[in-house]
Amino acid sequence: METKHITTIKIIIILIPAIITLFLINMNFLFDQEFNYHYNVGNKDSEFLNPSERISQIKFEGETNYKELMGALVYFPINIPPNAEKIKVEIKFKDNFPEGGRLFLGAKSGEGWDYTADKIFEKNSQDQNKWIVKEINYDLKLQNLDLDTRDNFFVIRTPHLGQEEYKNYTIPIDYINITIYKPGLLWNK
């Protein structure tokens, strides 16, 4: 006949893997998940934007550290979990645009260098030299995005930076926040 201690230990040994399994199922399948990534572009260890030759060294303005876009196309990767449905990208940049200058954010939408082009900013003279926060939302089910691509999934496009007359312009970037929403099987938002 077993003692109470041995029976209790057996129950605990059985319950521990069962609880862990239930926890993992719960976290990965049943409930909604939100993944938040904050990229401080001006951080000395930040190699988030590429190619590096289109990004300046770290610059400082008061308490803000940032890097500057020096080329018309700059890319950044994100890790999209399976079954994700929505992505929100928020970007803080400084208006250092010429009149009519625009900023586009695009997501990979096909083979090669095929990206969407969503305008998030157009020069307005009243914004000169101000820090601006803009965001854009992507619905991965409705938009035809290439989810198999992890590298260079997003592009920041500033067409004027590719033109000779604007070669001395740069666009300061402070941070990029990315929020990815993945629904669960139960209790969807």
Side-chain angles (χ1 to χ4, degrees), residues 7 12 20 44 46 55 72 96 98 107 116 130 157 159-160 169 175 184 189:
T7 305
I12 290 172
I20 291 172
K44 68 177 179 152
S46 176
I55 310 298
N96 190 30
T116 63
K130 291 182 182 176
R157 188 165 68 95
H160 70 279
Y169 276 80
Y175 68 76
K189 289 182 182 176

Side-chain angles (χ1 to χ4, degrees), residues 38-54:
H38 176 79
Y39 297 98
N40 179 356
V41 175
N43 184 318
K44 68 177 179 152
D45 299 323
S46 176
E47 299 295 327
F48 180 61
L49 301 172
N50 58 73
S52 60
E53 61 270 7
R54 296 181 194 164

Side-chain angles (χ1 to χ4, degrees), residues 54-174:
R54 296 181 194 164
I55 310 298
S56 75
Q57 296 297 316
I58 298 171
K59 309 266 178 144
F60 299 93
E61 182 179 295
E63 297 290 317
T64 304
N65 54 332
Y66 60 92
K67 292 182 181 176
E68 296 173 322
L69 302 181
M70 300 185 309
L73 297 168
V74 175
Y75 305 91
F76 60 94
I78 62 170
N79 185 14
I80 304 170
N83 302 319
E85 284 188 357
K86 296 178 180 152
I87 300 175
K88 178 176 82 171
V89 179
E90 177 183 279
I91 183 169
K92 183 178 179 186
F93 59 94
K94 191 170 188 180
D95 177 2
N96 190 30
F97 292 82
E99 197 61 42
R102 297 166 298 166
L103 181 90
F104 294 86
L105 188 64
K108 187 102 167 120
S109 60
E111 294 292 321
W113 299 101
D114 190 16
Y115 287 83
T116 63
D118 302 296
K119 182 170 63 173
I120 62 172
F121 177 78
E122 187 160 359
K123 175 67 173 182
N124 180 336
S125 59
Q126 64 186 345
D127 292 329
Q128 185 67 32
N129 289 320
K130 291 182 182 176
W131 287 99
I132 298 167
V133 176
K134 294 286 185 178
E135 71 178 47
I136 189 163
N137 294 291
Y138 292 92
D139 187 322
L140 301 177
K141 286 190 169 188
L142 295 177
Q143 294 170 291
N144 187 26
L145 302 180
D146 183 4
L147 299 180
D148 294 330
T149 301
R150 299 293 185 246
D151 295 336
N152 300 330
F153 187 78
F154 278 102
V155 63
I156 301 171
R157 188 165 68 95
T158 49
H160 70 279
L161 291 181
Q163 299 173 14
E164 184 63 29
E165 70 243 48
Y166 301 114
K167 66 181 180 183
N168 294 324
Y169 276 80
T170 58
I171 304 301
I173 303 283
D174 181 16

